[in-house]
Amino acid sequence: MSEPESDRMIEAEPGRTPRAGRGRDADNAPPEAIVAIPLRHPWRILIAVVLLLGLAVFVLDAAQRADYGWPDVGKYIFDRRISQAAWVTLWLTIYSMIGAIVIGLLLAIMRLSPNPVLKSIAWLYIWIFRGTPVYVQLVFWGIVSLIYPVFTLGIPFTTPWVTVPNEIFTNLFITAVIGLALNEAAYMSEIVRAGLLSVDEGQEEASTALAMSWGQTMRYVVVPQAMKIIIPPTGNEVISMLKTTSLVAAIPLSVDLYGVSRGISAVTFTPVPLLIVASLWYLLFTSVLMVGQHFIEKRFSRGTGRVKTGKEPAAPEAPPTAGPGAPGAPLGTDFGGRG
Amino acid sequence: MTDVPMVLAEKVSKNFGTNRVLRGISLEVDTGEVLCIVGPSGSGKSTFLRCINHLERVDGGRLSVDGQLVGYRQKGEKLYELKLKEAAFQRQEIGMVFQRFNLFPHLTAVENITLAPMRVKGLSKTKATARAKELLERVGLGDKGDAYPAHLSGGQQQRVAIARALAMDPKLMLFDEPTSALDPELVGEVLDVMKELAKSGMTMIVVTHEMGFAREVADTLVFMDEGVVVEAGAPRQILSDPQHDRTKAFLSKVL
């Protein structure tokens, strides 16, 4: 009861500052919350119920069907052959991605270089490796040792100085890594290129004006900023590569997860349970990678936020709200630890 | 001081395709002189500035800095384009400050300043950092060394950019509309730093819209329009008594 009374008193005496101060307090009181009947979504609920029922029927049915061979799934899921094959798949992914990132970075820089020959070669590479299916490429790398049984060094069309048997492409694991890496490099180069192009032109200009060479500009100015754009989609490519490794059957390399699962099922005549086993392992790996990807994206989206504010001289007076620092903290050295 | 002017432009021309941006700019800047260039947008002021440190290639005429041809080497009658490395070497002596600051956002203020001295001149980190702190002190930002550009106001960013350019110990400083991207209340702090720099004897070419600054600091004022120098002379005289119609029309709009 006393609140409205004091409000009236303020209206009566607007000139008195202490009263005006209290008046501000009254304005700051939280407004009355809205109590309304929320919008109903009957169709949403209906569709959800139907889908849930369908799923339940499918699961109950699948659990009873002999073809799924659930006892076999349990038997093979931790089979040593399977877990070793999972290990092979993991290393195939890691080696291929490392190769793809290195070659992709090289291709991206070649494509952006002022040299027309480098540019064309990179373009040609990407055209071929993105324009043909990875499965076909893997088949090709599998038979390349038949086309080039020896490596030679010397003047073309004369007797070679050195002849080395082609042992690279007779090792199927190395062949698989090369095949996957060369294909993925074409995609990685586009990701890297997008990252490099995302860096403001003024950055290169400022660096050039400071007498830094093109290489130094790339290394110290452009690439570090491009990383924030490059890394999140690269995480996606890792996940994608993990699954693509199953195609090494085309080489044919059969010691990876899918290959070994097929191998076992060819003997036991139980293809379905082994497909389930392989899928569960793939799901485990991709799930772990997805969690990692989530954190990487969170971290780097924060980073790009800061880059954007840095490029926004139109609003330079804004306090560093976009920055990770505590708002209201004094400007300056407090932020030194970040970055 | 030598009798060679710091910047000597003789009929400098530059085309972008069929667009003739510079149509024969001739001017001279002596050591220690401050030259301000004013003019409507699209008049070629910035392009001329960018030609001086070879960010743009000169297509015609002769342009030299401290007696050295910019971007080319002359052997007898023939001109040879400089290698990228040689062009970079020439740029060491020329500092440039941009309209949009172009600080490196992933580096702190000190790192922005030390990058080029360390990578180009091979200065040790300790030496470069000490020098960077000195320069930050000079532009009034002694306490902002560890701040990232995003945490600095536009005026502070531009002052860091000036310190960054000074760290290469240039003989000549180019300013490309250094205050145009700033909020009005931040213009003063940048101009103060530039005034101090002018007083210390730095040779400066400043493309600007700040007529007050030009009047106060410039030794020579150049009015450019459509790729030519329309009028040049003492700033007070040009600002108060322009001779050319185009200068009059421009000044009546900005003053």
Side-chain angles (χ1 to χ4, degrees):
Chain A
M1 275 308 284
S2 63
E3 273 300 319
E5 224 170 43
S6 65
D7 275 353
R8 242 174 270 132
M9 281 170 74
I10 289 157
E11 277 168 34
E13 299 167 304
R16 292 182 59 176
T17 42
R19 292 286 183 188
R22 278 204 61 192
R24 260 209 309 274
D25 285 348
D27 284 346
N28 276 352
E32 195 185 338
I34 292 172
V35 182
I37 293 147
L39 189 61
R40 309 275 181 210
H41 297 285
W43 286 104
R44 255 191 221 175
I45 294 166
L46 186 72
I47 290 168
V49 166
V50 167
L51 286 177
L52 273 177
L53 280 175
L55 184 67
V57 168
F58 175 79
V59 168
L60 286 175
D61 174 74
Q64 290 167 353
R65 246 171 229 269
D67 292 323
Y68 283 105
W70 295 111
D72 281 338
V73 172
K75 185 171 150 198
Y76 286 110
I77 186 94
F78 296 121
D79 189 290
R80 248 181 75 83
R81 284 171 292 176
I82 293 284
S83 54
Q84 270 172 354
W87 200 241
V88 171
T89 286
L90 210 57
W91 281 109
L92 266 179
T93 309
I94 292 168
Y95 287 137
S96 309
M97 277 314 292
I98 291 172
I101 289 168
V102 172
I103 302 168
L105 184 71
L106 221 68
L107 284 170
I109 290 177
M110 278 167 76
R111 260 198 103 176
L112 295 174
S113 92
N115 184 328
V117 174
L118 294 183
K119 236 184 209 171
S120 316
I121 289 175
W123 183 88
L124 188 73
Y125 181 100
I126 293 163
W127 179 61
I128 291 171
F129 280 90
R130 282 210 314 182
T132 55
V134 61
Y135 190 88
V136 173
Q137 288 172 27
L138 288 171
V139 172
F140 174 80
W141 293 119
I143 56 177
V144 92
S145 62
L146 301 178
I147 308 172
Y148 301 101
V150 289
F151 291 128
T152 57
L153 182 69
I155 300 163
F157 311 113
T158 62
T159 313
W161 305 329
V162 192
T163 306
V164 186
N166 183 348
E167 274 167 1
I168 294 175
F169 287 101
T170 47
N171 180 327
L172 294 183
F173 183 83
I174 295 176
T175 305
V177 169
I178 291 174
L180 291 170
L182 290 181
N183 175 261
E184 180 61 26
Y187 293 91
M188 276 311 301
S189 83
E190 290 296 285
I191 289 172
V192 172
R193 195 168 80 102
L196 295 179
L197 287 176
S198 75
V199 178
D200 190 73
E201 264 179 70
Q203 294 289 309
E204 204 178 324
E205 215 161 67
S207 179
T208 306
L210 284 165
M212 293 214 280
S213 69
W214 185 78
Q216 287 173 327
T217 299
M218 278 289 151
R219 185 167 158 203
Y220 299 114
V221 177
V222 176
V223 171
Q225 294 182 58
M227 287 317 276
K228 297 175 173 180
I229 307 293
I230 293 170
I231 284 181
T234 302
N236 273 330
E237 292 298 307
V238 174
I239 294 172
S240 166
M241 175 61 86
L242 186 94
K243 296 172 291 174
T244 308
T245 55
S246 64
L247 294 180
V248 296
I251 286 179
L253 177 71
S254 54
V255 294
D256 73 309
L257 191 46
Y258 177 70
V260 167
S261 306
R262 292 293 286 179
I264 294 172
S265 66
V267 176
T268 60
F269 300 111
T270 52
V272 181
L274 278 147
L275 283 180
I276 293 173
V277 166
S279 300
L280 287 174
W281 275 94
Y282 281 118
L283 264 177
L284 170 75
F285 286 148
T286 49
S287 305
V288 170
L289 287 172
M290 275 165 74
V291 172
Q293 172 80 356
H294 172 75
F295 283 105
I296 286 173
E297 277 184 6
K298 228 171 133 183
R299 187 186 147 77
F300 280 98
S301 67
R302 194 175 64 182
T304 47
R306 197 174 70 195
V307 171
K308 267 182 204 150
T309 40
K311 276 186 199 164
E312 207 69 74
E317 252 310 85
T321 44
L331 285 169
T333 48
D334 313 60
F335 300 99
R338 300 188 186 275
Chain B
M1 277 192 214
T2 54
D3 47 354
V4 181
M6 183 58 82
V7 177
L8 179 63
E10 294 168 303
K11 296 184 181 165
V12 169
S13 65
K14 169 79 193 165
N15 310 323
F16 289 121
T18 55
N19 185 13
R20 295 180 63 205
V21 185
L22 300 180
R23 307 166 179 239
I25 302 282
S26 297
L27 54 82
E28 236 182 87
V29 184
D30 286 324
T31 303
E33 187 179 341
V34 177
L35 180 88
C36 279
I37 304 178
V38 300
S41 57
S43 59
K45 307 170 299 220
S46 291
T47 306
F48 177 64
L49 209 63
R50 294 157 58 83
C51 284
I52 296 173
N53 71 349
H54 203 44
L55 282 181
E56 302 286 357
R57 219 176 66 117
V58 175
D59 292 333
R62 287 281 192 279
L63 178 62
S64 54
V65 173
D66 207 17
Q68 260 196 323
L69 217 51
V70 174
Y72 299 93
R73 186 171 359 127
Q74 189 156 18
K75 249 190 193 170
E77 285 295 293
K78 282 185 184 163
L79 283 184
Y80 295 88
E81 220 175 304
L82 286 187
K83 289 179 196 162
L84 291 178
K85 255 192 183 160
E86 296 169 315
F89 190 76
Q90 284 191 338
R91 285 192 196 102
Q92 284 192 28
E93 318 224 293
I94 308 169
M96 186 157 190
V97 174
F98 298 87
Q99 181 178 356
R100 295 171 63 88
F101 330 136
N102 297 354
L103 287 181
F104 307 131
H106 60 301
L107 301 178
T108 63
V110 164
E111 287 166 347
N112 261 280
I113 298 168
T114 56
L115 182 62
M118 278 165 64
R119 300 300 168 197
V120 178
K121 291 193 160 177
L123 241 62
S124 72
K125 194 177 174 180
T126 22
K127 266 192 181 170
T129 306
R131 174 98 174 102
K133 288 193 171 147
E134 221 176 273
L135 285 165
L136 279 175
E137 205 71 56
R138 186 171 168 190
V139 299
L141 294 171
D143 57 336
K144 295 281 190 261
D146 293 330
Y148 283 92
H151 300 139
L152 297 172
S153 75
Q156 290 170 332
Q157 287 189 53
Q158 192 60 300
R159 285 188 280 157
V160 172
I162 293 172
R164 178 175 71 175
L166 290 176
M168 293 295 282
D169 294 315
K171 292 189 220 163
L172 168 68
M173 284 284 285
L174 308 174
F175 293 85
D176 188 3
E177 303 196 23
T179 57
S180 298
L182 294 176
D183 287 348
E185 78 270 24
L186 301 175
V187 168
E189 60 189 65
V190 173
L191 291 183
D192 286 344
V193 168
M194 289 167 62
K195 279 178 206 165
E196 187 269 331
L197 199 58
K199 253 184 233 157
S200 75
M202 176 63 74
T203 313
M204 293 162 60
I205 302 181
V206 184
V207 170
T208 187
H209 294 299
E210 296 292 330
M211 296 302 160
F213 175 81
R215 187 198 305 269
E216 188 182 340
V217 181
D219 299 303
T220 312
L221 183 69
V222 167
F223 173 71
M224 265 177 78
D225 193 14
E226 293 178 355
V228 293
V229 172
V230 176
E231 206 167 335
R236 270 163 215 284
Q237 193 202 327
I238 291 185
L239 290 175
S240 54
D241 183 25
Q243 299 299 307
H244 205 284
D245 286 344
R246 274 193 278 177
T247 320
K248 280 179 200 164
F250 176 72
L251 290 178
S252 70
K253 278 177 213 153
V254 295
L255 284 182

